[in-house]
Amino acid sequence: MGHCSYYTIANYAEMLKQNVEGVKVTVADPFNPSGKALSEKELGVFDRVIHIPSKREIKIGINDRIKSAGVIIKNKIGLRDFLFNMISFRFKKVRYTIDSFAENSIHGKMLNELFRDYDVFHFHYAAPCYLYPIKYVPENKVKIISIWGSDLFQTSGIKNYSDQLSAFELSDFIIVNTLEKREIFLSKFGRVFADKIRFANFGVSECKLARMESFQKSGNAKEFKKKYGIRDEKAVIIIGYNASSKQNHLAIIKAMNGIDAAIKARLHLIFPLTYGFSIEREDYIMQIKNACSGAGFDFTIIDDYIPEEEYFGMLYSCDIKINLRETDSMNSAMLESAFAGNILINGAWHPYGILRRLGVYCREAVNIEELDKLVSEIVNNLKNEKSKTAPNAELIRSYFSSVNTGMQWKKFFDEVRRLVK
């Protein structure tokens, strides 16, 4: 339940089925981040697909209103305000009170009916709008909340904090994937939740890593450069992984404009903008194009979904991957770039201590403004820098492959199973 972005949740469901004996997975309201409809074949990874009804879908009849008014009067729920509005002839407010009570009652019954056949409820992405159904989950069911990243780092406001806090109090487990995220969570919501926290990663599909290796050996990466007109002598830099302005595309281009003209001429920038448009202005892509053209960069914008082989071609054509989004939580695009041997430039503010502990070679930028100097240094020593990334593939596989993360989830669900009644 929650933010059920298809590829993340489908990979997660497959991993659970491979590692947790006897598990059946239902998904609520999955969506394709590209905006396209999901096919029956794609949805086949789940045992069942359901829809969580919203209050807007509820039609209130006269019998519902009569019943609602009766409950308000009998149980004295908001009775004082209800009677005051009646004797003050504020009939719109009376109608609103009755309808709201009826709507909440009907919605609660719908969710109770929908939830009764399940043992475990796993909420993904802890934004308040995704957490409200947790209060309708029966007390004897196991409730899990997975923190993804922006739900912790970018959600703010007293009402949002209050709604999140209420959900965390109702949960049995809270999943995080880094030590830093645990400390941020406990600092924000209280160390009283420490005993609920467990560590687990979504990771990267081992099958996908194997396909990447096979693609690399095929030598087909050159087809990507040929298709997009990227000259072999260019140093290829991928900036971000979606169309959200939180990837800081424009600030990165501005900072890189300070690169010496001779080095700039050696660069080709790629912007993968295949999803994330819904939260941006319509002219955002044009702003990126204008900024690149104004700075004199050769560049390619990919704004439609590409086949997997073409995606692999992009990764293996790349020399440098810039990952300086506002907040992040070990995104899979970054991990796949590291596996492909890209030189990562990550934000020093990201919670990536595990990469340092594993020994993954990457560079860090303390701020975006220093990017011109950092990129220039890397490009001037590109062969040496690339050689340092050679161990990264096996280091990424050793910790983030679904073979390893599957064992993390198996251990966790062995604990969950003991709570299932």
Side-chain angles (χ1 to χ4, degrees):
M1 300 174 66
H3 184 74
C4 292
S5 181
Y6 175 75
Y7 298 104
T8 300
I9 299 299
N11 288 336
Y12 174 65
E14 284 187 317
M15 181 175 61
L16 287 185
K17 290 187 173 187
Q18 290 167 4
N19 291 278
V20 183
E21 184 179 353
V23 70
K24 290 186 178 180
V25 182
T26 292
V27 65
D29 300 305
F31 66 93
N32 190 331
S34 71
K36 297 178 181 178
L38 293 168
S39 67
E40 287 189 21
K41 182 179 179 181
E42 288 173 317
L43 294 173
V45 66
F46 308 107
D47 295 286
R48 187 180 174 197
V49 179
I50 62 172
H51 168 60
I52 304 296
S54 69
K55 291 181 181 179
R56 290 191 300 271
E57 299 171 40
I58 296 171
K59 305 294 183 184
I60 300 173
I62 184 63
N63 289 336
D64 298 315
R65 292 191 175 97
I66 293 171
K67 191 181 299 183
S68 176
V71 172
I72 290 172
I73 293 170
K74 181 179 179 181
N75 296 308
K76 300 180 181 179
I77 303 171
L79 182 59
R80 183 177 177 179
D81 289 340
F82 179 79
L83 294 175
F84 175 78
N85 288 328
M86 284 285 287
I87 63 177
S88 301
F89 302 105
R90 298 177 179 178
F91 296 124
K92 284 187 178 180
K93 288 192 174 182
V94 172
R95 170 76 174 264
Y96 175 81
T97 300
I98 292 173
D99 283 2
S100 179
F101 191 92
E103 185 179 74
N104 288 333
S105 178
I106 295 170
H107 191 235
K109 289 177 181 177
M110 291 170 71
L111 294 182
N112 285 331
E113 179 69 18
L114 188 62
F115 293 166
R116 68 180 184 179
D117 294 331
Y118 297 97
D119 302 304
V120 180
F121 294 79
H122 192 165
F123 291 82
H124 292 269
Y125 197 85
C129 60
Y130 295 119
L131 294 176
Y132 78 88
I134 198 170
K135 62 186 177 183
Y136 297 105
V137 176
E139 288 186 13
N140 64 336
K141 306 293 186 179
V142 180
K143 297 169 281 293
I144 305 164
I145 299 176
S146 274
I147 306 293
W148 278 26
S150 296
D151 46 349
L152 177 64
F153 302 140
Q154 297 197 19
T155 301
S156 62
I158 294 174
K159 177 64 166 62
N160 286 329
Y161 294 153
S162 176
D163 290 346
Q164 287 180 311
L165 184 64
S166 296
F168 296 140
E169 288 172 340
L170 290 171
S171 70
D172 296 291
F173 299 102
I174 299 163
I175 305 294
V176 298
N177 65 344
T178 68
L179 285 168
E180 296 97 328
K181 193 184 292 185
R182 180 187 69 178
E183 291 309 304
I184 292 169
F185 177 89
L186 295 177
S187 297
K188 193 172 183 179
F189 293 101
R191 305 199 80 83
V192 67
F193 292 109
D195 289 343
K196 290 187 177 185
I197 290 183
R198 301 292 185 274
F199 288 96
N201 277 281
F202 289 126
V204 183
S205 165
E206 174 59 31
C207 292
K208 188 172 188 179
L209 296 181
R211 291 196 301 273
M212 286 179 66
E213 285 182 322
S214 177
F215 178 86
Q216 182 189 28
K217 292 173 183 176
S218 73
N220 288 334
K222 60 185 178 182
E223 295 300 319
F224 177 86
K225 285 188 172 183
K226 183 178 178 181
K227 176 176 179 178
Y228 289 98
I230 302 172
R231 300 200 302 274
D232 286 337
E233 68 271 18
K234 291 281 190 175
V236 178
I237 301 177
I238 297 176
I239 298 175
Y241 61 87
N242 66 27
S244 168
S245 60
K246 295 182 187 300
Q247 301 281 344
N248 286 317
H249 304 108
L250 297 176
I252 289 170
I253 297 167
K254 181 179 178 181
M256 290 178 63
N257 193 25
I259 293 173
D260 182 79
I263 296 176
K264 190 184 291 186
R266 296 164 57 188
L267 306 180
H268 190 106
L269 311 184
I270 297 178
F271 296 85
L273 308 177
T274 56
Y275 67 98
F277 296 109
S278 60
I279 60 174
E280 298 305 332
R281 289 170 44 179
E282 290 184 6
D283 66 342
Y284 186 61
I285 292 181
M286 185 56 66
Q287 290 182 55
I288 294 174
K289 291 180 178 179
N290 290 339
C292 284
S293 298
F297 285 114
D298 287 342
F299 67 96
T300 296
I301 286 179
I302 301 174
D303 57 1
D304 198 5
Y305 263 73
I306 56 178
E308 185 178 73
E309 281 216 348
E310 194 169 319
Y311 171 68
F312 293 164
M314 179 180 72
L315 292 183
Y316 284 107
S317 297
C318 176
D319 297 297
I320 302 169
K321 170 63 178 284
I322 297 178
N323 179 49
L324 299 180
R325 59 175 296 178
E326 291 181 6
T327 61
D328 193 48
S329 184
M330 214 61 68
N331 71 81
S332 60
M334 181 270 293
L335 296 175
E336 289 161 6
S337 291
F339 187 82
N342 300 174
I343 302 162
L344 299 179
I345 299 179
N346 289 326
W349 57 89
H350 292 153
Y352 288 173
I354 184 61
L355 296 183
R356 301 183 197 101
R357 292 190 292 277
L358 288 173
V360 174
Y361 182 74
C362 57
R363 304 296 296 270
E364 291 187 335
V366 173
N367 53 59
I368 294 176
E369 289 72 25
E370 71 175 30
L371 199 54
D372 56 345
K373 296 181 180 63
L374 186 53
V375 170
S376 297
E377 178 190 332
I378 293 171
V379 173
N380 281 330
N381 298 279
L382 192 59
K383 186 175 181 180
N384 183 47
E385 288 286 321
K386 287 282 283 186
S387 69
K388 294 177 183 178
T389 68
N392 285 356
E394 284 311 308
L395 292 172
I396 293 296
R397 171 175 264 144
S398 70
Y399 189 82
F400 295 102
S401 163
S402 58
V403 172
N404 182 65
T405 57
M407 295 304 295
Q408 294 175 2
W409 287 104
K410 180 184 184 303
K411 180 180 178 182
F412 171 66
F413 271 93
D414 285 344
E415 182 179 5
V416 168
R417 198 184 295 273
R418 292 194 289 270
L419 296 183
V420 173
K421 298 175 182 178

